[in-house]
């Protein structure tokens, strides 16, 4: 009886914790990672920095995020940065170098290389399509 009673209490504590975390650990971690990336994508982003604001270890965050989204945190960051870059390139007031810096790539050549692999055209060719 005591074991059943204690297990019931522990289950109740776990349920309460999940409610406070936004329904589930997975949903909470995914939401926190999304928020962090959206607020810091123009800077160097590390999972260790994210973990400072999430009550889980960096490795646990990586695992839970992958389970919840099907992609790694690095894939998410890269995708988010290039979505933003493609939006910024549609505005002629920004030079490619400025776009690169705004989305967290200090090395413009590397940015252009990754962009070209991803979209099949250079950033300037991409821009020409939308101007």
């Amino acid at each position: 009886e005591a074991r059943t009673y204690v297990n019931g209490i522990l289950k109740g504590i776990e349920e309460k914790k999940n409610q406070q975390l936004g329904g589930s650990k997975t949903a909470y971690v995914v939401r926190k990672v999304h928020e962090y990336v959206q607020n810091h994508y123009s800077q160097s982003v590390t999972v260790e920095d994210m973990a400072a604001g999430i009550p889980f270890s960096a490795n646990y965050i990586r695992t839970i995020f992958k389970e919840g989204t099907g992609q790694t945190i690095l894939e998410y960051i890269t995708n988010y940065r290039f979505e933003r870059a493609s939006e910024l390139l549609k505005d002629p007031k920004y030079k490619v170098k400025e776009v690169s810096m705004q989305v967290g790539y200090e090395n413009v050549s590397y940015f252009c290389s990754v962009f070209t692999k991803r979209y099949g055209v250079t950033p300037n060719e991409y821009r020409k399509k939308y101007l």
Side-chain angles (χ1 to χ4, degrees):
E1 280 183 41
R3 184 176 294 179
T4 303
Y5 177 75
V6 171
N7 284 339
I9 290 174
L10 292 175
K11 187 174 182 177
I13 291 170
E14 183 70 22
E15 288 174 6
K16 182 73 171 172
K17 184 178 177 184
N18 283 340
Q19 288 172 353
Q20 290 173 340
L21 296 177
S24 74
K25 289 180 198 175
T26 302
Y28 174 78
V29 168
V30 169
R31 185 175 75 248
K32 287 301 209 177
V33 169
H34 284 183
E35 289 171 3
Y36 189 90
V37 171
Q38 290 168 3
N39 293 324
H40 298 92
Y41 70 92
S42 64
Q43 305 160 6
S44 176
V45 176
T46 67
V47 179
E48 288 71 24
D49 291 337
M50 287 178 204
I54 303 173
F56 302 113
S57 72
N59 284 335
Y60 186 74
I61 291 167
R62 284 183 190 94
T63 301
I64 293 298
F65 188 85
K66 174 85 175 183
E67 287 175 8
T69 65
Q71 63 182 343
T72 66
I73 292 175
L74 180 59
E75 289 168 338
Y76 175 73
I77 292 167
T78 303
N79 289 337
Y80 188 83
R81 285 177 167 167
F82 279 97
E83 286 174 20
R84 292 290 302 135
S86 64
E87 292 172 21
L88 292 169
L89 285 168
K90 294 175 186 176
D91 189 337
K93 73 180 179 183
Y94 298 116
K95 296 178 181 178
V96 172
K97 181 178 182 171
E98 293 170 327
V99 170
S100 173
M101 298 296 280
Q102 286 184 37
V103 298
Y105 288 87
E106 292 183 22
N107 184 327
V108 182
S109 297
Y110 180 69
F111 168 79
C112 291
S113 173
V114 175
F115 189 95
T116 302
K117 285 180 186 175
R118 184 173 279 263
Y119 292 99
V121 294
T122 67
N124 280 323
E125 291 169 341
Y126 182 88
R127 171 176 273 161
K128 288 176 186 175
K129 288 181 178 182
Y130 293 97
L131 295 181

